Amino acid sequence: MDGIVTDVPVGIKRGSDELLSGSVLNGPSSNMSSVVVTANGNDNKKFKGDDKMEAAPSRVLHIRKLPGEVTETEVIALGLPFGKVTNILMLKGKNQAFLELATEEAASTMVNYYTTITPHLRNQPIYIQYSNHKELKTDSALNQRAQAVLQAVTAVQTSNSTVTGTAANDNTVSSAQSPVLRIIIDNMYYPVTLDVLHQIFSKFGTVLKIITFTKNNQFQALLQYGEPVNAQQAKLALDGQNIYNACCTLRIDFSKLVNLNVKYNNDKSRDYTRPDLPSGDGQPALDPAIAAAFAKETSLLAVPGALSPLGIPNAAAAAAAAAASRVGMHGVSTGGNTVLLVSNLNEEMVSPQSLFTLFGVYGDVQRVKILYNKKDSALIQMADGNQSQLAMSHLNGQKMYGKIIRVTLSKHQTVQLPREGLDDQGLTKDFSNSPLHRFKKPGSKNFQNIFPPSATLHLSNIPQNITEDDLRTLFTNTGGNVKAFKFFQDHKMALLQMSTVEEAIQALIDLHNYNIGDNHHLRVSFSKSTI
């Protein structure tokens, strides 16, 4: 968790920072209905020496050190979990804002919360304290954009109150009123489990149900809150945030569903109101004690507090994701398992090298063993448990050499090499010292470009003398059809679209690291783009 920044304690008034141009504030000691406070006016003297004064609680909060590009929506989202936000004034030139909540109690809760967890916007710590003004009045002409954003949020919150009474009777509602969110995870380098989602989204209200699934080769989830307003708050605060540094980006929208029907409590779906549900699909049942504690769980995951950025260092992310995959599941400990069992392989075509290349898209493959007595199956050892989870989630059910492969976690902890002098017909290969590992270098851009198998491939390291026709011919020779092609401006990179995902997988296996001339080795990966 980020450390608490203490250079300005919450609750200490820095009056001179509050001097505004073009705003009207109702002051506590003023006999007039309002006091116009200007940046250069005589009121400046009135506030001097206030630095050491403890400001009394107020429903108007002063927010400082905001990033220059921060939006009104992000500032409003800071206050939403604590109560209704009734007004906002942005001072972009000063990197400050004022936020007015409906009650002093809500503002106090917000200030108290942020004394323990430093709020961040766009990875930058910000400072929140009481204003010494009791009400915020703004000139709507000067503050039009902020007011429009606030009105939009208020409209959604108001309309939500009409939904809760009908939720049980209707299957769908207009999406902005729904207590159900649809969540897509982009750039999923580390596995995101149901328990990780529960921890993050619980900051904004009681999570009742979660269903996770894969659609269009992307990990998605449906998550139901007790109240639609909680869904609105979570969407405002979390949409576009990364769960871990530079990866696992949350894309959040409202679902048209108003109620989720969960049949099983397991690692794919969970109804927190029904700990008695069966696990289904032969999965271990949830421990009743753990099930009862779901709503109160304090997971091992080091996700910072509500509304601060969700990014945590990659080193911690590995341990966190591993821990999170164990939370709440009785007898299941998959987080640290590095070995995968791949079955239903085409035994005539498959080789350790082809498995190394394909699984190497999602992690650094250490060893591959095709089973001697069952050559349609192989063991693949990845560098860590997160990589094995990632490879499993992206490659299970994909087609390789014409057969749908099955990828599961193996009970083995390592892949054994054959005894010295024993000929195993080249079925086992050690890749631990391979120069082709994509993720060996910390902070590599490869961490940010991990996508599910797709028909579109990203090509890089292309020599200047290679033409579009050369590449189209090369990729057609892998047995597929090239549907579209596009060079990037510098001609060192390109996008190439095959007819199917299966063809693209085949092309990647055949042509990643292909020597295309002048000792340029072609780099091939899956792309999220289409041409």
Side-chain angles (χ1 to χ4, degrees):
M1 191 180 287
D2 294 309
I4 296 172
V5 182
T6 55
D7 67 340
V8 181
V10 173
I12 301 298
K13 182 70 211 72
R14 294 181 77 243
S16 56
D17 274 343
E18 278 210 6
L19 303 180
L20 317 178
S21 178
S23 69
V24 183
L25 291 160
N26 270 3
S29 56
S30 170
N31 294 324
M32 297 156 48
S33 61
S34 61
V35 176
V36 178
V37 185
T38 59
N40 302 312
N42 293 332
D43 293 308
N44 197 5
K45 296 172 187 168
K46 183 170 71 179
F47 289 117
K48 292 236 168 129
D50 277 357
D51 285 322
K52 300 287 184 281
M53 265 176 58
E54 193 167 319
S58 162
R59 66 192 184 96
V60 180
L61 299 177
H62 180 208
I63 305 170
R64 299 182 300 109
K65 301 269 182 90
L66 289 168
E69 69 280 11
V70 81
T71 65
E72 289 85 350
T73 305
E74 289 170 281
V75 175
I76 292 168
L78 282 168
L80 280 177
F82 305 96
K84 187 179 179 185
V85 176
T86 50
N87 210 345
I88 180 173
L89 177 68
M90 297 286 286
L91 292 135
K92 295 224 168 174
K94 288 174 171 276
N95 299 101
Q96 297 178 26
F98 288 84
L99 201 63
E100 179 189 272
L101 278 84
T103 65
E104 200 174 281
E105 183 186 13
S108 295
T109 305
M110 182 170 167
V111 167
N112 291 339
Y113 179 80
Y114 287 129
T115 56
T116 57
I117 291 175
T118 303
H120 284 66
L121 283 177
R122 304 197 176 214
N123 293 321
Q124 187 174 314
I126 59 169
Y127 304 87
I128 298 177
Q129 59 201 70
Y130 294 117
S131 163
N132 64 354
H133 296 282
K134 295 295 184 191
E135 187 180 354
L136 180 60
K137 285 197 173 179
T138 51
D139 182 334
S140 57
L142 292 172
N143 200 33
Q144 251 176 337
R145 177 185 159 82
Q147 291 301 307
V149 173
L150 184 62
Q151 282 169 13
V153 172
T154 307
V156 171
Q157 286 180 308
T158 307
S159 66
N160 281 336
S161 60
T162 64
V163 180
T164 48
T166 61
N169 304 323
D170 300 332
N171 283 327
T172 62
V173 292
S174 72
S175 54
Q177 301 172 328
S178 174
V180 179
L181 294 174
R182 183 171 64 94
I183 302 154
I184 296 174
I185 311 286
D186 275 348
N187 195 12
M188 199 168 94
Y189 175 65
Y190 292 108
V192 175
T193 65
L194 186 145
D195 296 297
V196 171
L197 292 175
H198 182 259
Q199 164 119 20
I200 294 167
F201 283 82
S202 288
K203 305 289 184 190
F204 302 91
T206 304
V207 175
L208 303 184
K209 304 169 186 179
I210 306 176
I211 297 171
T212 64
F213 54 96
T214 300
K215 185 178 179 183
N216 300 331
N217 286 325
Q218 279 188 306
F219 178 84
Q220 301 192 23
L222 292 168
L223 181 145
Q224 181 178 339
Y225 279 107
E227 298 288 340
V229 67
N230 303 129
Q232 170 68 18
Q233 292 164 357
K235 182 182 184 301
L236 268 173
L238 296 176
D239 188 28
Q241 291 269 24
N242 292 333
I243 298 176
Y244 305 121
N245 276 353
C247 70
C248 301
T249 308
L250 291 163
R251 304 286 177 215
I252 303 170
D253 225 322
F254 294 103
S255 169
K256 289 185 178 175
L257 296 170
V258 80
N259 187 41
L260 299 179
N261 182 20
V262 176
K263 294 179 180 175
Y264 303 111
N265 280 339
N266 53 39
D267 62 348
K268 296 279 187 280
S269 63
R270 193 93 31 98
D271 185 338
Y272 295 92
T273 66
R274 296 274 316 276
D276 57 313
L277 285 177
S279 62
D281 301 329
Q283 301 204 39
L286 290 174
D287 183 292
I290 294 175
F294 274 149
K296 301 173 186 171
E297 78 182 13
T298 52
S299 156
L300 300 171
L301 184 64
V303 174
L307 300 165
S308 61
L310 304 173
I312 61 178
N314 278 334
S325 68
R326 290 195 291 269
V327 171
M329 291 303 296
H330 177 60
V332 176
S333 176
T334 59
N337 200 332
T338 61
V339 180
L340 296 168
L341 173 64
V342 187
S343 55
N344 202 42
L345 293 163
N346 183 332
E347 57 185 271
E348 304 297 322
M349 305 286 291
V350 75
S351 67
Q353 183 64 48
S354 62
L355 290 169
F356 167 78
T357 303
L358 180 57
F359 281 73
V361 173
Y362 300 106
D364 293 338
V365 175
Q366 303 300 299
R367 293 176 180 177
V368 177
K369 179 191 283 286
I370 295 173
L371 302 185
Y372 186 80
N373 294 322
K374 195 171 173 18
K375 292 189 174 63
D376 70 345
S377 299
L379 294 173
I380 300 176
Q381 184 176 334
M382 309 296 285
D384 63 46
N386 300 293
Q387 294 180 2
S388 58
Q389 287 271 0
L390 195 67
M392 181 172 69
S393 65
H394 283 317
L395 294 176
N396 182 42
Q398 296 291 346
K399 263 191 173 182
M400 180 183 183
Y401 296 124
K403 297 191 77 173
I404 294 172
I405 63 171
R406 296 284 165 236
V407 186
T408 58
L409 291 167
S410 167
K411 62 184 182 201
H412 295 283
Q413 296 305 303
T414 59
V415 170
Q416 297 294 326
L417 293 174
R419 290 195 302 277
E420 210 169 322
L422 185 72
D423 177 20
D424 80 335
Q425 303 172 6
L427 296 176
T428 307
K429 191 154 184 192
D430 187 354
F431 294 98
S432 54
N433 295 317
S434 171
L436 299 180
H437 286 155
R438 296 181 189 238
F439 307 104
K440 223 168 210 172
K441 188 178 169 190
S444 161
K445 281 187 178 176
N446 291 335
F447 283 94
Q448 298 172 39
N449 292 301
I450 295 174
F451 304 108
S454 59
T456 306
L457 296 168
H458 180 274
L459 317 181
S460 60
N461 206 32
I462 303 168
Q464 287 296 325
N465 61 334
I466 295 294
T467 66
E468 176 179 335
D469 283 345
D470 293 334
L471 290 166
R472 280 178 174 269
T473 302
L474 185 66
F475 278 78
T476 301
N477 287 342
T478 63
N481 293 311
V482 176
K483 280 184 71 179
F485 182 92
K486 185 172 111 183
F487 263 124
F488 285 71
Q489 269 186 324
D490 61 1
H491 268 237
K492 289 179 183 172
M493 295 191 291
L495 291 176
L496 181 144
Q497 189 174 336
M498 304 298 288
S499 292
T500 65
V501 174
E502 184 186 359
E503 288 181 5
I505 288 173
Q506 185 63 54
L508 183 143
I509 290 170
D510 290 349
L511 295 175
H512 177 62
N513 200 46
Y514 178 82
N515 188 346
I516 202 166
D518 299 334
N519 210 26
H520 277 71
H521 289 265
L522 191 63
R523 297 279 175 264
V524 184
S525 54
F526 297 115
S527 172
K528 66 174 178 181
S529 308
T530 51
I531 305 172

